[in-house]
Amino acid sequence: MEIETKAFGVVKINEEDILNFVGPILGFEEIKQYVVLHDQNNPGPFFWLQAVNSPEPAFVVVEPGAILTDYQPGLPEEELSLLQIDEPSDLRMLLIVRIPDNIKEISVNLKAPVLINARKGLAKQIVLEDSRYSVRHYLMPAEQGGEAHAGPESKNR
């Protein structure tokens, strides 16, 4: 199947790679199907979470382990149940990346990860109750010209 994407133009995807969202990405309630794409010309930790039926929305995403070693939020059992996650190996988590005009202010949303049942192709964005995590966790350290923050507690940004 071919889809039109924001970053790559028209690409071929396998229908079995489509993620069916059982709960929406906040602000995009009408979009129910996405696919995770990787830029083959730019290997790195970032991916695209691309809507299947239109070029937008498309979100830059990253797996938490690629940027943080200590991101281990408590995931509500009801969310895991809704996604039919029976085995820990079925769970994949993605964080939405915010890329502003000033690249030094690049951040990820630790407060609202996207949970994926990789085996069944089900997904949902959740909002964590955990106060340790913020919606803007800056990736670039202050010594490199980025925002100053201390671990996952970069609140009110």
Side-chain angles (χ1 to χ4, degrees):
M1 144 178 221
E2 289 186 342
I3 65 168
E4 188 176 342
T5 70
K6 180 178 178 177
F8 309 113
V10 176
V11 298
K12 283 189 173 192
I13 63 165
N14 295 319
E15 288 190 39
E16 55 269 10
D17 292 336
I18 294 174
L19 299 173
N20 293 294
F21 273 66
V22 297
I25 290 181
L26 301 173
F28 299 91
E29 285 75 13
E30 69 285 352
I31 310 292
K32 304 288 185 199
Q33 293 187 315
Y34 291 85
V35 65
V36 176
L37 301 174
H38 196 264
D39 184 351
Q40 301 302 321
N41 298 320
N42 188 14
F46 298 101
F47 299 88
W48 286 88
L49 184 61
Q50 170 68 57
V52 170
N53 296 317
S54 67
E56 296 211 25
F59 305 94
V60 175
V61 293
V62 65
E63 292 179 326
I67 56 167
L68 295 168
T69 58
D70 62 346
Y71 183 71
Q72 299 199 354
L75 302 175
E77 282 299 321
E78 60 271 11
E79 302 289 5
L80 297 176
S81 178
L82 182 64
L83 290 168
Q84 302 174 29
I85 294 175
D86 302 317
E87 300 292 325
S89 61
D90 291 342
L91 177 64
R92 181 178 184 192
M93 193 179 319
L94 297 174
L95 302 173
I96 294 177
V97 179
R98 180 181 158 272
I99 304 174
D101 290 336
N102 180 354
I103 197 68
K104 293 178 180 181
E105 295 176 358
I106 188 171
S107 64
V108 294
N109 183 342
L110 299 180
K111 190 75 167 173
V114 175
L115 304 183
I116 299 170
N117 181 328
R119 190 168 45 88
K120 295 187 178 180
L122 301 174
K124 184 175 194 271
Q125 183 179 36
I126 66 166
V127 177
L128 300 171
E129 300 284 329
D130 196 328
S131 64
R132 296 178 298 161
Y133 301 117
S134 73
V135 296
R136 287 199 185 154
H137 175 82
Y138 293 93
L139 297 183
M140 190 169 284
E143 59 270 11
Q144 293 179 6
E147 287 287 325
H149 66 277
E153 299 193 16
S154 54
K155 294 182 185 183
N156 301 321
R157 303 214 183 228

